[in-house]
Amino acid sequence: MDKEKSPRKDRLFYEQKNGHLLIDKKEAARVESYCKGYMDFLDAARTEREAVREGIRLAEAKGFVPYKAGMKIAPGMKLYHANRGKALLLAVIGTKPLSEGSVIAAAHVDSPRLDLKQLPVYEDSHICYFKTHYYGGVKKYQWLTIPLELHGVIALKNGETLDICIGRDKADPIFQISDLLPHLAKDQRKKSSEEFVPGENLNLIAGTIPDSEEVGDRVKLAVMALLNRKYGIIEEDFLSAELSAVPAFETREAGLDRSLIAGYGHDDRVCAYAELAAIFETENPEKTAVCILADKEEIGSEGVTGMKSRAFERFMDALCDAQGAKLSDCFANSLCISADVVNAFDPVYPEVSEKRNAAQINCGISLCKVSGHGGKSGSSDASAELVARLRRIFADNAVVWQMAELGKVDQGGGGTVAVYMAERNIDTIDAGVPVLSMHAPCETVSKLDCYMTYKGIKAVYGEK
Ligand code: MN
Ligand code: MN
């Protein structure tokens, strides 16, 4: 007999179980079909603009309509509001008045990437390059030699905006950043990884064929002529462009058992999609359900489309106004799930995590009571009562979940939009999908965790 088996231990100890041991075949099938939808979403949403566009497309198909100023608000109504094409707010109006609060889930749809500089095009040694400025926390060496796509917009002086997408289509060319051959990397290898790829080395190769005109910068001239033929643009138009180089990887199933999903931008589109899927299935909630897809989280939630922007207040205030409710009452009685990814414990690098308190792959949606760094600095530190409320909701709805922390104490740290929601006097807690290789060009998540995050958010929206 297994000496470790003890009913008293079973009763008294907390044990985190692998979610695959807790779900039945029917649930496993739901995990699969949910993840198919997510993988399609991730492939369609490589930037925050594309995520918002895709979010609106899906929302409209589910009966959501754009909110219009002065609209009469009735329970059950499904509304959305896009903020400058880069952030999205959705709401399903509850049967209770907004003065009694709303239930909010807030994810972000921007991901680490390489943005083109405002004057990116130059030629050196018969090669034309686009200069970049990295966006978000990246390990620069990971972006060398991988295939990259170019996504974004060029806003013209005449008011027109051109959508650019090069590399997504299999027939398109891709872009690449070069790296040194190992044969000549003696000095490079001695440098720390912070130093060996200077930010100014992240230049995309854009072309190598010279123009027939015998002038200086002939390759750049040929590249500009090509862009002019295709898009009608001149170099000055780059000044008012937002173009991002993102990994040109298809989202793929990973592992022999296909239990994982490898792809670019799980952080945080995996939670954004979970929110969307959850609110799409939320009919006549008691409290108004609100789904936020925010921009700019990776650079501190700044800007008009970031979570610090009052665009959120404006939308919520309009809904409150329509019911004669005060926004401050609504916020004070609201709950917010700051739906963002957490680091999954990685047994290859156990030294940065404290295993007992780290999120594990396949153990479900991960609640993070505390984030920040050092002595919990920069964290909104959710209350015990809020954690208990979620324990209750998850238990009632068979949601596989776990508690998480971002690495060992004093190992580093990070933040999410949680602090900006808590600042508004909204009870807020971080919860999301554990990720391996977070912020790498290709990140890994488990299908079960993706599904449980959706299921968890849906359960919170449906709280009675
Ligand atoms: Mn994130
Ligand atoms: Mn991130």
Side-chain angles (χ1 to χ4, degrees), residues 108 110 266-268 297-298 339-341 415-416 438-439:
H108 66 93
D110 61 317
H266 287 311
D267 178 7
D268 181 34
E297 193 278 338
E298 296 296 355
D340 207 343
V341 297
T416 62
M438 194 194 292
H439 281 209

Side-chain angles (χ1 to χ4, degrees), residues 14 16 342 358-368 400-404 432 434 449:
Y14 172 78
Q16 189 60 59
V342 300
Q360 311 258 354
I361 282 285
N362 282 332
C363 289
I365 179 173
S366 308
L367 288 196
C368 215
V400 178
W401 74 281
Q402 58 186 324
M403 195 51 96
D449 297 332

Side-chain angles (χ1 to χ4, degrees), residues 98-363:
L98 275 156
S99 53
E100 290 182 36
S102 60
V103 179
I104 304 160
H108 66 93
V109 284
D110 61 317
S111 298
R113 62 187 189 229
L114 307 178
D115 287 341
L116 257 56
K117 291 196 184 196
Q118 293 329 119
L119 268 181
V121 195
Y122 77 102
E123 175 177 341
D124 193 348
S125 311
H126 314 292
I127 301 177
C128 179
Y129 291 99
F130 292 159
K131 290 204 72 71
T132 69
H133 190 153
Y134 64 93
Y135 173 99
V138 304
K139 288 158 93 177
K140 285 169 278 188
Y141 68 85
Q142 293 180 330
W143 294 74
L144 307 180
T145 71
I146 63 167
L148 297 164
E149 306 171 355
L150 206 57
H151 292 237
V153 296
I154 301 176
L156 302 175
K157 235 174 8 186
N158 66 9
E160 200 187 329
T161 300
L162 305 174
D163 275 312
I164 306 293
C165 180
I166 306 169
R168 191 84 280 262
D169 193 318
K170 282 271 188 298
D172 285 350
I174 52 98
F175 298 88
Q176 230 185 356
I177 297 167
S178 64
D179 191 8
L180 263 183
L181 60 169
H183 318 64
L184 297 179
K186 191 165 141 267
D187 293 338
Q188 186 195 43
R189 285 184 208 256
K190 285 184 195 143
K191 292 180 185 166
S192 81
S193 73
E194 280 296 308
E195 292 164 358
F196 82 75
V197 187
E200 294 292 350
N201 278 18
L202 298 175
N203 304 317
L204 310 179
I205 298 173
T208 60
I209 301 176
D211 194 90
S212 56
E213 196 182 339
E214 290 183 31
V215 287
D217 288 341
R218 288 172 71 173
V219 179
K220 174 177 170 178
L221 183 59
V223 165
M224 281 312 309
L226 200 153
L227 288 169
N228 185 262
R229 273 198 306 279
K230 184 148 188 209
Y231 302 106
I233 59 163
I234 57 174
E235 190 175 15
E236 192 184 324
D237 294 322
F238 277 107
L239 295 174
S240 51
E242 279 178 1
L243 296 167
S244 305
V246 300
F249 302 136
E250 291 287 323
T251 306
R252 299 287 295 270
E253 293 178 309
L256 278 177
D257 56 9
R258 299 171 185 266
S259 59
L260 307 168
I261 304 173
Y264 163 66
H266 287 311
D267 178 7
D268 181 34
R269 293 170 195 138
V270 68
C271 295
Y273 183 77
E275 286 182 12
L276 287 172
I279 203 164
F280 291 162
E281 292 174 6
T282 300
E283 305 279 347
N284 297 304
E286 281 192 359
K287 290 187 177 181
T288 295
V290 179
C291 163
I292 304 176
L293 309 192
D295 182 27
K296 297 281 178 280
E297 193 278 338
E298 296 296 355
I299 57 168
S301 297
E302 313 285 349
V304 286
T305 50
M307 210 54 245
K308 287 185 189 171
S309 162
R310 296 287 169 267
F312 174 59
E313 272 79 357
R314 184 169 175 262
F315 178 69
M316 292 301 290
D317 199 29
L319 299 185
C320 285
D321 249 10
Q323 294 188 349
K326 268 166 68 183
L327 182 65
S328 58
D329 290 339
C330 174
F331 280 0
N333 295 316
S334 288
L335 159 69
C336 176
I337 302 291
S338 162
D340 207 343
V341 297
V342 300
N343 65 308
F345 177 79
D346 186 341
V348 181
Y349 302 96
E351 63 278 8
V352 300
S353 295
E354 190 264 291
K355 205 171 176 180
R356 276 174 293 272
N357 283 283
Q360 311 258 354
I361 282 285
N362 282 332
C363 289

